[in-house]
Amino acid sequence: MKKALPIGVDNFKKIIESGYYYVDKTMMIKELLDLKGEVNLFTRPRRFGKTLNLSMLRYFFEDTGNEQQNSHNRELFQGLKIMEAGEAYTRHIGSYPVINLTLKSAKQNTRESSFYKLKNILITEFERHSEMMNHEKLSEKEKQQYNRFVNGEVSMDEYSGSLEFLSRCLSKTTGEKVIILLDEYDVPLENAYFCGFYEEMVNFIRALFESSLKTNENLNFAVITGCLRVSKESIFTGLNHLNIISVLDEKYSEHFGFTLPEVTQIMSYYGAESRMEDLKAWYNGYLFGNTQVYNPWSVMKFAYDLNGNVDAFPRPYWINTSSNDIIKVMVRKADREMRGQIEALIEGRTLDIQVHEEITYEDMEGNGENLWNFLYFTGYLTKESMYFENSSIYLKVCIPNVEVKTIYQNTFLNWFREKIKKRGFQDLYQALESGQAEKIREILEEQLFWTVSFYDSAENFYHGFLAGILSQSEQYYVKSNRESGNGRSDLMIKSPSLRGRAFIVEIKVSQNIDDLEKDARKALQQIADRDYMEELRAEGYRRISCWGISFYRKDCEVCCGEEIKMGLSQ
C-alpha cells in the first residue's frame, strides 16, 4: 500500500509514527546550526510548511527531561537527511529545553476572545513543562509564580513576561539555554486589525517579544514564523539581532514549499506523472530567492485526489485555507488605475513595485504600493525579477499560477455581484422590452467600466457578467445554457407567464474593436440559423425577442431581432 498523504497533519512526530508521506526538510536544522542566527524570523505565505518545520525543530532539539522519550524522538529522524550530516549536528538531538507556541488559534472576532485564546496558549505551554517545574533547583517563589501562571491568576500584562520567566526556570533546571519556537506570530495581529483592536494586540505582542527575545539572557536561539514582516518599530523594538529571512532571501529558500525534484518524486510515487503539466500550471510559480517553489498544501491535495482518480481536475485548494481578507481590501479600495493593473496581472503581465519589507497592517489603507507588497509577501504575487534603482529594490511581480488567478477572479466577481445587487437594473429590462439596443449598450458599458475584465477567459467572464446583471429582475427567470454545453443559446430570459415576454441572448467576444458590430450580427444570425427559439415556442411563449451582443474589453455592441427567420448576413 502507498503511504497516506498528511492532509492537514502538521505534527512531525505524528507524520513519522503514522507512516505518512514526508517530504524531508530536516536539512533546515543544519542550516540553522551553521548560520547561528540568534532570533530568526521566517516570513512565508500561509500553508507553506511553517508549522510542520517548527514541529520538526522541536522534536529534534528538545530535551523532554525523560531519557526514554528523548531516545524515541531521536528514532523519528532515522533515515532522514540530517542523520547523514555528521556528529557535529546529530549531537544536538534532545539537548535543549524548548518553548513551542503557535498563535494561529488567537484568530477570534472579539478582543476578549483573542486575548483569552492567547492566555490559554501560554498556559498550555506552561503545563507541558510541569514535571521540570517541580525540580529541586527552583525556589518556592518560582514554583508559586509558575502555579499562578498555570492557574490563570495573573493579568495579561504579566503574561507578556511569561516566556522570559519560563525560559529562566527551564534553563535553571536543565543547565542549557532555551530554544524558543513561535509559529504564526502575525495571525493575532492580522485578525486584530480586521476586527478593530489592532493597537492593543500590537502592545501585547511587542511586550511578549521584548521580554523573551531582547532581554532574555537564557535564550539560545529563537525561530519565529509568519506571513509578514510587521514593522520593526512596531513589534520588534530594539531587536538588533533579529535575522529576517523573507521570500527574497537565498538562504533557507528550499525548506518551505516543494521543489521540482520533491514534486516529481511525489507524482512518481503515486503514479500520476502524466499530470505534471497540470500540477505545474496550477501550483508552481513561486520564486523564493532564486529557487522555484510549488505550493505544498495544494500539491498534497491534488496528489490526494489523483491517488483516487488519476483524471481528477485540479482545483483552487489554497483559496479555502484563509479568509483572503487582504484581497478583499484591495477590491474595496481599487480605483480605475488599480483595476487596470489587476486586469494586466490576470492577463499574465507583470507589475513593477518598490519593495517595502517593514510594513504594518495599517499600511494597507495607505497607498497602492503598500498593498502590492502585502500581496507579494503573502503569496498572491510572486517575483519574476528584481532590480535596483535609486538605491531602492524593485520587483517585477506577477500572479504565480492558475490557482491564485482564480482567487483574484472569484473575489472580483463576488464584489461585482454585490455591487449590481445594489444598483438595480429596471432600466435594462425596459430597454430589452422596448428594443432599445443603444440604451442596453450604454448600461452594459457603464458596468464594464467599474469591473475587472478577465480577457484570458473572456467568454466565460462576459457570460458571467451578463448573467449576473440580468438575474437581478424578480419578474423574469434567467437560464444559462453555457454550462451544459448542449448547443443552445447562451442565455434565455423568460417571464413566469407564457403571455409575458421571453428573450434569447447570444454572446460573442471580438478580437478587436472594429469587429464589434459584425460579431453582434453574427450572434444574432446564429440564433436564427440554429433555431434557438424553438424551445421557447414549444413551451408556449409567443412574444420572443432575440439579441446578439459582442464584447471587446470595456466596449460592447448590441443588435436586436424579432422572431428572426431571414438571413441577416444578406
Side-chain angles (χ1 to χ4, degrees):
M1 290 183 63
K2 299 288 187 185
K3 290 184 177 181
L5 286 154
I7 306 298
V9 183
D10 52 19
N11 181 284
F12 175 80
K13 180 179 179 181
K14 183 175 182 179
I15 286 176
I16 301 301
E17 287 184 340
S18 300
Y20 286 106
Y21 189 100
Y22 176 63
V23 176
D24 191 344
K25 297 293 184 180
T26 57
M27 291 304 281
M28 179 182 177
I29 298 166
K30 179 180 183 299
E31 200 159 352
L32 274 171
L33 292 171
D34 286 345
L35 296 177
K36 295 180 171 56
E38 188 170 354
V39 180
N40 306 276
L41 170 60
F42 291 91
T43 59
R44 293 294 187 276
R46 54 187 165 82
R47 291 293 186 176
F48 268 72
K50 299 187 295 292
T51 301
L52 178 56
N53 277 351
L54 259 62
S55 177
M56 179 259 295
L57 295 178
R58 172 195 157 190
Y59 285 107
F60 185 86
F61 286 110
E62 186 167 45
D63 177 2
T64 64
N66 183 305
E67 200 57 45
Q68 185 177 356
Q69 184 61 54
N70 286 349
S71 177
H72 179 69
N73 286 352
R74 185 184 184 94
E75 290 174 6
L76 297 175
F77 292 87
Q78 295 304 315
L80 299 179
K81 293 176 183 177
I82 189 62
M83 302 305 287
E84 302 171 4
E87 196 271 338
Y89 303 98
T90 57
R91 66 181 177 84
H92 293 277
I93 299 178
S95 298
Y96 307 95
V98 173
I99 295 173
N100 182 43
L101 297 174
T102 179
L103 305 187
K104 64 177 67 175
S105 64
K107 188 174 184 178
Q108 305 295 318
N109 292 331
T110 66
R111 175 199 175 281
E112 291 73 20
S113 296
S114 291
F115 279 100
Y116 178 78
K117 281 288 187 181
L118 280 172
K119 181 178 176 180
N120 281 345
I121 290 167
L122 292 165
I123 289 173
T124 300
E125 184 62 11
F126 268 69
E127 290 175 335
R128 197 172 72 82
H129 296 285
S130 59
E131 289 188 17
M132 286 191 180
M133 301 309 291
N134 291 321
H135 201 282
E136 60 185 15
K137 290 184 179 180
L138 296 183
S139 67
E140 285 303 313
K141 184 178 180 180
E142 288 169 327
K143 291 177 182 179
Q144 289 172 8
Q145 179 66 10
Y146 168 79
N147 288 328
R148 291 181 67 230
F149 277 121
V150 168
N151 295 327
E153 297 172 354
V154 302
S155 66
M156 283 306 294
D157 282 344
E158 289 181 89
Y159 273 109
S160 68
S162 61
L163 296 188
E164 187 278 329
F165 170 78
L166 185 57
S167 299
R168 179 162 24 101
C169 293
L170 290 175
S171 182
K172 193 172 183 179
T173 58
T174 63
E176 294 286 348
K177 291 187 176 182
V178 173
I179 294 172
I180 295 179
L181 308 175
L182 293 172
D183 187 34
E184 304 284 15
Y185 88 95
D186 57 341
V187 166
L189 294 167
E190 177 185 359
N191 175 72
Y193 172 76
F194 287 111
C195 293
F197 51 95
Y198 181 69
E199 198 60 40
E200 293 170 274
M201 186 60 72
V202 165
N203 290 337
F204 178 81
I205 298 295
R206 181 194 296 121
L208 185 73
F209 282 12
E210 281 185 358
S211 61
S212 60
L213 304 176
K214 177 185 175 183
T215 59
N216 188 356
E217 63 182 16
N218 297 295
L219 177 67
N220 187 334
F221 68 85
V223 178
I224 311 166
T225 69
C227 289
L228 288 170
R229 169 186 175 175
V230 177
S231 175
K232 200 171 184 179
E233 288 72 28
S234 177
I235 299 297
F236 302 106
T237 306
L239 286 183
N240 297 323
H241 57 328
L242 180 65
N243 181 33
I244 301 171
I245 308 101
S246 77
V247 294
L248 289 172
D249 290 279
E250 295 287 334
K251 295 180 176 64
Y252 301 97
S253 58
E254 73 274 21
H255 300 313
F256 297 88
F258 293 161
T259 62
L260 177 59
E262 290 166 343
V263 168
T264 302
Q265 189 173 1
I266 292 170
M267 297 295 274
S268 175
Y269 180 80
Y270 291 101
E273 301 99 318
S274 62
R275 303 302 304 279
M276 274 296 296
E277 287 303 311
D278 286 330
L279 185 141
K280 181 178 181 179
W282 274 75
Y283 312 120
N284 188 22
Y286 298 93
L287 195 64
F288 295 172
N290 286 320
T291 303
Q292 284 284 344
V293 177
Y294 288 72
N295 183 322
W297 170 257
S298 298
V299 168
M300 285 295 192
K301 290 284 284 182
F302 190 40
Y304 178 86
D305 287 348
L306 293 176
N307 195 30
N309 173 19
V310 75
D311 296 318
F313 292 111
R315 291 186 287 159
Y317 305 105
W318 196 57
I319 193 173
N320 296 319
T321 64
S322 180
S323 61
N324 298 301
D325 284 332
I326 293 175
I327 290 281
K328 293 175 184 176
V329 167
M330 178 185 68
V331 171
R332 188 176 70 241
K333 75 187 295 283
D335 55 17
R336 183 178 181 182
E337 180 183 7
M338 183 173 284
R339 288 198 305 274
Q341 292 169 323
I342 295 163
E343 286 178 347
L345 288 168
I346 292 175
E347 283 188 74
R349 288 185 274 164
T350 61
L351 177 69
D352 288 65
I353 65 170
Q354 184 178 352
V355 175
H356 301 291
E357 290 193 80
E358 294 186 354
I359 50 180
T360 69
Y361 283 94
E362 292 171 315
D363 291 331
M364 279 192 290
E365 300 294 350
N367 57 52
E369 196 80 45
N370 289 332
L371 190 50
W372 295 124
N373 273 265
F374 268 86
L375 293 169
Y376 169 66
F377 285 108
T378 53
Y380 294 98
L381 295 171
T382 192
K383 177 183 72 175
E384 185 174 278
S385 62
M386 181 167 60
Y387 60 95
F388 294 89
E389 189 174 293
N390 299 325
S391 302
S392 298
I393 300 176
Y394 286 83
L395 301 176
K396 285 188 178 294
V397 296
C398 58
I399 295 175
N401 51 45
V402 175
E403 178 179 41
V404 177
K405 186 188 295 185
T406 65
I407 297 175
Y408 285 88
Q409 292 176 334
N410 291 335
T411 304
F412 271 93
L413 287 175
N414 289 336
W415 167 79
F416 183 67
R417 291 187 188 106
E418 293 173 4
K419 189 174 185 299
I420 62 176
K421 284 180 182 177
K422 296 177 182 177
R423 196 276 196 193
F425 286 93
Q426 189 61 37
D427 54 348
L428 177 62
Y429 272 93
Q430 289 173 353
L432 280 170
E433 292 165 350
S434 57
Q436 299 179 63
E438 185 64 21
K439 180 64 174 177
I440 294 171
R441 182 185 66 77
E442 290 175 3
I443 294 169
L444 295 181
E445 287 186 349
E446 175 191 357
Q447 297 307 308
L448 285 168
F449 178 84
W450 287 106
T451 190
V452 170
S453 305
F454 309 145
Y455 305 127
D456 64 334
S457 55
E459 288 194 29
N460 287 333
F461 167 75
Y462 290 118
H463 184 273
F465 164 81
L466 195 55
I469 289 176
L470 292 171
S471 297
Q472 299 312 301
S473 174
E474 297 181 357
Q475 300 176 7
Y476 289 94
Y477 298 130
V478 178
K479 181 179 179 182
S480 173
N481 291 320
R482 177 174 291 276
E483 289 79 6
S484 61
N486 54 13
R488 297 175 182 170
S489 61
D490 287 325
L491 294 168
M492 282 187 181
I493 304 119
K494 51 190 181 181
S495 165
S497 170
L498 295 176
R499 294 191 181 95
R501 300 294 301 271
F503 309 94
I504 294 174
V505 178
E506 186 65 22
I507 299 168
K508 296 291 182 186
V509 178
S510 299
Q511 294 300 308
N512 59 70
I513 196 166
D514 295 330
D515 292 338
L516 277 173
E517 184 175 352
K518 177 183 67 176
D519 289 337
R521 293 176 65 80
K522 280 184 179 179
L524 201 55
Q525 184 66 53
Q526 184 173 319
I527 295 173
D529 292 346
R530 300 188 184 180
D531 201 13
Y532 287 155
M533 290 178 291
E534 180 56 34
E535 180 179 340
L536 290 171
R537 290 197 198 98
E539 289 183 41
Y541 288 96
R542 293 295 177 261
R543 302 175 66 195
I544 305 170
S545 295
C546 304
W547 295 87
I549 303 179
S550 58
F551 292 93
Y552 178 74
R553 296 185 177 267
K554 302 289 187 181
D555 293 285
C556 68
E557 191 60 60
V558 182
C559 287
C560 175
E562 296 283 340
E563 289 270 11
I564 304 169
K565 294 180 182 178
M566 74 296 291
L568 291 174
S569 60
Q570 297 177 357

